[in-house]
Amino acid sequence: MSEKRTWTRRNVLRTGGALAGVSAMAGCIGDDGSSDGETAYTVSMPPVGDVEFEGVPENWAANNGSWADMGIALGQDPPAALYLTHRYHTQYYDEIPDVSVDPDEDDIDALWADELTVEEFIDLSEDVDVFVMDPNFLKGQGEWSDDDIDQVASTGVPFFGNSIFSRDYGFHDDYEYLTLYQAFEKLAEVFQEEERYEEFEALHDEFQTTLEDTVPANDPQVAVLWPLDDVFLPYIVDEGTSYKPLQDLGYEDALANTNVEDFHSGRGEVDYETLLEVDPDNLLLRSEEYESREEFVQGTVEPMKDHDAAQQLTAVQNDNIYRAGPLYQGPIINLAVTQQLAERLYGIDEQLYDPQEVSDIVNGDF
């Protein structure tokens, strides 16, 4: 697409108490009114509806690392912007040969460094061809209005996304949920990289078979928490993509049948007294930043062993404290996180997927 763009349509927004859908055509024409010669195509994505593209997007922005990781898996350049770049844990790419992204060196802007503003998005619309993000999230968590969404959509850059990482936010409990690979397939259609997607899908199917053949049948009891000083943000495991490694490996959620309120749905928190009552066998802890195992042990595990209440927990006494993996996982990061949890929770000591095969698909060698 040319840098100077005249958009061929307005977005039609159907909004009520919650955004019902966005119908959009993302195409551009030259200054003389002629099309760029590319074949138009339409991709459907709940909740935004049918989005028609007159050409393959060249530049893009995404909400989080789930979608950024999908784009990298599809052979794309990194997105120009994300909500929070530090939650895109690209260090997991260290496991994959010849795949590397650095949010700082690759000039990925952080849209939510302070607050998400309409002005930021309008400015960004001059440089990107699609916002790979769910507008409902902007309303539910960014406190945008329908008019804000309408104003950004009127730039001609469409929204295309689904809040796949969790299923507990009230702002999206009335639309179709997508699995990681359903969302991945739709983004592949946007970038016209269906063959790359099919290669990843085949690799993923093989990975699932390997898990079934390798991982023991017993399901470990886990509690997923985000530590904050002497309290924890509890995460009840659901079918969102941030829990896919646990879904694939098998688990028993220690918090599921308690009175603990999930952080996503109710902003719940638990203290050590409550945690001692539950006393899970394994603690899976989340954090803002990526940490090596050594950093995690020094910064989190050892202090818990010295803490008067924490040292009474079974998981602390048995050294069963691990990183839970990031909230936002695409197909590459998911493989790496699942491998790590298989090693920690089950003592698996073999490689469950081929990192070189992942590299080959990303780099088009298939």
Side-chain angles (χ1 to χ4, degrees):
M1 295 183 181
S2 61
E3 291 185 2
K4 187 174 182 180
R5 298 175 295 183
T6 303
W7 293 93
T8 60
R9 61 93 183 95
R10 292 184 59 195
N11 287 317
V12 179
L13 295 170
R14 298 187 301 277
T15 56
L19 189 67
V22 182
S23 292
M25 176 191 295
C28 53
I29 61 175
D31 293 340
D32 60 358
S34 61
S35 71
D36 56 14
E38 296 186 78
T39 302
Y41 56 96
T42 299
V43 186
S44 179
M45 165 66 78
V48 299
D50 294 336
V51 182
E52 186 174 349
F53 297 86
E54 288 191 354
V56 179
E58 295 180 359
N59 301 303
W60 60 303
N63 57 351
N64 60 46
S66 303
W67 295 93
D69 188 40
M70 290 183 219
I72 298 303
L74 294 169
Q76 304 303 301
D77 289 334
L82 294 168
Y83 289 163
L84 297 169
T85 55
H86 65 274
R87 288 195 182 181
Y88 177 25
H89 294 164
T90 59
Q91 295 89 341
Y92 285 102
Y93 296 157
D94 294 345
E95 307 291 327
I96 313 299
D98 302 315
V99 175
S100 177
V101 174
D102 185 315
D104 294 326
E105 293 184 3
D106 288 297
D107 296 324
I108 302 176
D109 291 335
L111 294 171
W112 215 336
D114 185 16
E115 61 179 332
L116 285 170
T117 67
V118 172
E119 290 73 24
E120 282 181 293
F121 277 68
I122 291 175
D123 289 344
L124 187 59
S125 70
E126 296 295 322
D127 301 316
V128 302
D129 306 311
V130 60
F131 293 118
V132 181
M133 53 189 70
D134 176 8
N136 285 271
F137 187 91
L138 291 167
K139 292 178 63 178
Q141 298 302 108
E143 300 182 352
W144 282 27
S145 68
D146 291 343
D147 288 343
D148 292 333
I149 299 295
D150 198 356
Q151 188 177 356
V152 173
S154 70
T155 67
V157 179
F159 288 105
F160 183 92
N162 184 301
S163 293
I164 61 174
F165 71 94
S166 171
R167 300 194 176 186
D168 288 322
Y169 281 120
F171 67 80
H172 64 87
D173 60 6
D174 60 350
Y175 69 65
E176 179 186 355
Y177 296 115
L178 299 182
T179 66
L180 174 59
Y181 272 75
Q182 287 172 335
F184 186 27
E185 183 175 22
K186 288 185 177 295
L187 192 63
E189 293 178 44
V190 170
F191 288 121
Q192 297 290 277
E193 288 287 353
E194 288 91 339
E195 189 175 358
R196 264 195 179 89
Y197 166 78
E198 290 168 0
E199 292 291 329
F200 256 103
E201 183 183 36
L203 184 153
H204 179 254
D205 289 344
E206 182 180 345
F207 181 61
Q208 296 299 306
T209 299
T210 301
L211 291 180
E212 292 176 6
D213 294 342
T214 307
V215 175
N218 60 300
D219 296 336
Q221 185 198 57
V222 303
V224 182
L225 304 163
W226 194 303
L228 294 175
D229 295 325
D230 282 350
V231 298
F232 298 84
L233 308 181
Y235 291 82
I236 308 298
V237 180
D238 63 21
E239 295 181 0
T241 59
S242 71
Y243 305 109
K244 179 169 166 53
L246 290 175
Q247 298 160 9
D248 292 344
L249 290 170
Y251 67 95
E252 176 189 346
D253 187 355
L255 302 177
N257 297 314
T258 69
N259 293 324
V260 171
E261 188 172 26
D262 178 73
F263 176 70
H264 277 153
S265 61
R267 281 354 213 189
E269 63 179 41
V270 296
D271 56 18
Y272 271 113
E273 182 179 356
T274 301
L275 199 56
L276 282 165
E277 291 176 3
V278 178
D279 198 22
D281 293 335
N282 298 273
L283 295 178
L284 301 183
L285 305 184
R286 286 178 158 160
S287 67
E288 286 276 347
E289 305 295 339
Y290 176 91
E291 294 177 309
S292 68
R293 180 62 186 172
E294 293 73 19
E295 291 169 334
F296 178 72
V297 169
Q298 292 177 6
T300 301
V301 177
E302 294 299 334
M304 291 185 75
K305 289 183 177 181
D306 294 333
H307 189 282
D308 290 342
Q311 63 184 224
Q312 300 176 51
L313 291 166
T314 298
V316 174
Q317 294 172 359
N318 294 335
D319 285 328
N320 290 334
I321 312 170
Y322 313 113
R323 288 178 297 147
L327 282 169
Y328 309 122
Q329 302 175 30
I332 304 174
I333 293 175
N334 172 253
L335 289 170
V337 172
T338 307
Q339 173 75 42
Q340 288 188 2
L341 284 179
E343 294 169 358
R344 304 300 184 194
L345 293 176
Y346 292 97
I348 301 296
D349 59 1
E350 62 185 272
Q351 186 67 39
L352 301 175
Y353 71 99
D354 183 357
Q356 184 60 55
E357 185 176 358
V358 175
S359 174
D360 290 342
I361 299 172
V362 172
N363 292 296
D365 299 328
F366 54 86

